[in-house]
Amino acid sequence: MKRFAIWPPALAVLALAVASACSEPASKAAVTCNLSAPSASAAETGLAGCGGKWIDANVAINQLQSMGTHNSYKEAIPEVEMALIKQRSADAAMTLDYWHRPFAEQLDKGARQIELDPSDDPQGGLYSTPLARKLLSDKGVTPPDYDLTAMARPGIKVIHVSDIDYRSQCLLFVDCLKQIKTWSDAHPTHTPILMMINPKSSGISWPGAVKVLPWGKEAFDRMDREIRSVFSEDQLLTPDDVRGEHATLREAVTTTGWPKLGAARGKVIFTMDLSPEANAPYAEGHPSLQGRIAFMTTFPEAPEAAYFTMNEPEQDQALIQERVKQGFLIRTRADADTREARAGATTRREAALASGAQFVSTDYLWPDDRFATGYTATLPDGVTTRCNPVNSPPGCDVKVQ
């Protein structure tokens, strides 16, 4: 066997290196985040970066608060089409006079709630010829260019008001979902995004307007299938995930509660924004929403109760706070119908933030330059997510990243 000789000085250097490694204080190698510290700031004091890890481990997603946007997909209505609306109702025109930047910009700005308004169209083509365009053409006015070819395809469409407010960043529901997924995939540690779904079952009453299809169990089934065609199960936080071994979903959220932030980062939560009666078909055959993707507004004592849309934070502030303390997830609105932005009024916004609703929606992540008020709605200090002012646990005292 061939033997190798080791030069004595080299052997001495090796021995010194081993001795040095062995003599290094064990405490230095063993230092980790103290997730049992009394507060996030205490954990941060112990070791830089541990404040965020403390929040991930100790704060549930219903103990946080984020901003979101209302009718997030909506594009501006051109002036010639807006004039048609004003002729029939100046008030209606005013309420429709807003729009949003692309989803990615909203999410980059800090939005963690996105709203989509799906309209059922299983055969395709139902919304291909908006009445506003036809009325303009009848007057000899060429409607502004807008690509409606996607409307011919079968599948759920995303439209605010059929025939008159139909311009969307994504006419196909699945295309909207893909845009959100693309952003989420690029930001895998984001705080959860609430996708609020407000299915449309009616249109305008103008002669010649399209008859919007009602939503029933079959349409809701198609909606769930379209969502699953885009998002994988591990990207979703569903009623089954939250209910766990509890008898009902309501029991789960009012006892064990929602998952901690660390377990929910990068996930998307779907909710249904309809009345309890209109939502009922979604739960039909799915006790406590078993097998369903979305949570839904229902009656407070119903077994499916876990989420509520409560859009009047001034008059309902006490009730919102009560439900937040019980463990329910709430979405409310900081502004509505362009009123606050035009007047520069902030009472509603402040009531919404103080209510503890986990998601506060706005049309004004950015100010509208047409208004001198400069009105916007964001969280204090411009953070994306913060410890909830109503129900955050003791120790949640650092910024949530």
Side-chain angles (χ1 to χ4, degrees):
M1 177 182 295
K2 187 173 182 180
R3 297 182 182 275
F4 294 91
I6 301 179
W7 189 40
L11 184 60
V13 170
L14 178 62
L16 182 61
V18 172
S20 176
C22 292
S23 64
E24 183 178 345
S27 59
K28 182 176 179 181
V31 168
T32 59
C33 291
N34 180 10
L35 302 182
S36 298
S39 66
S41 58
E44 183 71 18
T45 299
L47 186 64
C50 287
K53 293 181 180 180
W54 188 97
I55 288 180
D56 278 3
N58 292 284
V59 181
I61 60 172
N62 66 308
Q63 296 173 319
L64 300 167
Q65 187 177 61
S66 302
M67 296 300 300
T69 53
H70 163 249
N71 296 333
S72 315
Y73 56 89
K74 182 172 151 43
E75 294 187 349
I77 301 173
E79 278 300 319
V80 291
E81 295 181 12
M82 185 65 79
L84 291 174
I85 303 170
K86 289 179 180 177
Q87 289 173 5
R88 289 162 174 80
S89 173
D91 287 343
M94 184 179 75
T95 66
L96 298 175
D97 193 16
Y98 65 92
W99 58 89
H100 288 289
R101 300 187 189 188
F103 294 140
E105 290 187 38
Q106 296 177 46
L107 292 162
D108 285 342
K109 181 70 171 177
R112 290 297 179 269
Q113 176 259 304
I114 298 293
E115 179 181 355
L116 301 179
D117 293 350
S119 293
D120 194 26
D121 188 16
Q123 303 304 316
L126 186 61
Y127 306 101
S128 292
T129 54
L131 181 60
R133 300 180 71 82
K134 182 179 184 301
L135 292 175
L136 287 175
S137 295
D138 290 346
K139 291 182 176 184
V141 178
T142 301
D145 287 341
Y146 186 65
D147 186 1
L148 288 160
T149 55
M151 290 292 203
R153 294 169 54 183
I156 298 169
K157 308 304 188 295
V158 175
I159 313 166
H160 185 220
V161 182
S162 59
D163 286 308
I164 60 171
D165 192 8
Y166 55 87
R167 294 169 184 265
S168 172
Q169 296 176 28
C170 40
L171 292 173
L172 298 178
F173 184 59
V174 292
D175 285 347
C176 293
L177 300 179
K178 288 175 182 177
Q179 291 183 30
I180 301 300
K181 183 181 186 300
T182 296
W183 187 91
S184 178
D185 288 347
H187 302 80
T189 62
H190 65 76
T191 54
I193 299 170
L194 188 83
M195 294 292 296
M196 196 182 80
I197 306 301
N198 179 214
K200 297 294 186 179
S201 293
S202 62
I204 60 174
S205 58
W206 299 7
V210 69
K211 295 188 181 300
V212 177
L213 298 177
W215 281 78
K217 188 175 185 300
E218 290 185 3
F220 287 135
D221 289 345
R222 287 196 295 275
M223 182 192 76
D224 272 10
R225 286 197 295 271
E226 290 201 10
I227 294 172
R228 285 199 166 96
S229 75
V230 175
F231 289 99
S232 63
E233 290 298 325
D234 63 354
Q235 293 175 303
L236 299 169
L237 182 64
T238 67
D240 287 344
D241 296 326
V242 174
R243 188 181 59 256
E245 301 300 319
H246 290 275
T248 68
L249 187 55
R250 188 185 192 283
E251 177 184 293
V253 301
T254 57
T255 55
T256 306
W258 298 80
K260 297 294 189 287
L261 175 59
R265 284 191 179 275
K267 292 187 180 291
V268 177
I269 307 167
F270 281 83
T271 61
M272 295 283 290
D273 176 32
L274 292 173
S275 69
E277 294 83 0
N279 273 331
Y282 189 72
E284 182 182 340
H286 298 269
S288 278
L289 298 175
Q290 183 176 2
R292 282 300 197 189
I293 288 178
F295 299 86
M296 69 181 205
T297 290
T298 185
F299 299 104
E301 300 303 320
E304 295 82 17
Y307 163 85
F308 297 95
T309 297
M310 302 179 69
N311 286 331
E312 301 300 331
E314 292 180 271
Q315 68 185 47
D316 291 336
Q317 187 179 81
L319 181 57
I320 293 174
Q321 291 175 340
E322 177 186 342
R323 290 182 177 175
V324 166
K325 291 175 183 176
Q326 288 176 309
F328 296 110
L329 211 61
I330 310 289
R331 179 266 197 179
T332 194
R333 291 182 66 179
D335 41 72
D337 301 329
T338 76
R339 293 190 299 266
E340 286 75 18
R342 293 175 188 274
T346 59
T347 304
R348 179 180 180 139
R349 181 189 69 193
E350 298 312 307
L353 293 172
S355 74
Q358 291 88 353
F359 296 94
V360 179
S361 178
T362 181
D363 287 320
Y364 301 98
L365 283 180
W366 293 269
D368 188 324
D369 293 338
R370 299 173 302 166
F371 308 142
T373 64
Y375 174 87
T376 61
T378 58
L379 291 179
D381 300 321
V383 298
T384 295
T385 301
R386 68 170 179 172
C387 300
N388 194 293
V390 170
N391 73 336
S392 65
C396 189
D397 59 0
V398 301
K399 290 183 179 180
V400 182
Q401 301 298 325

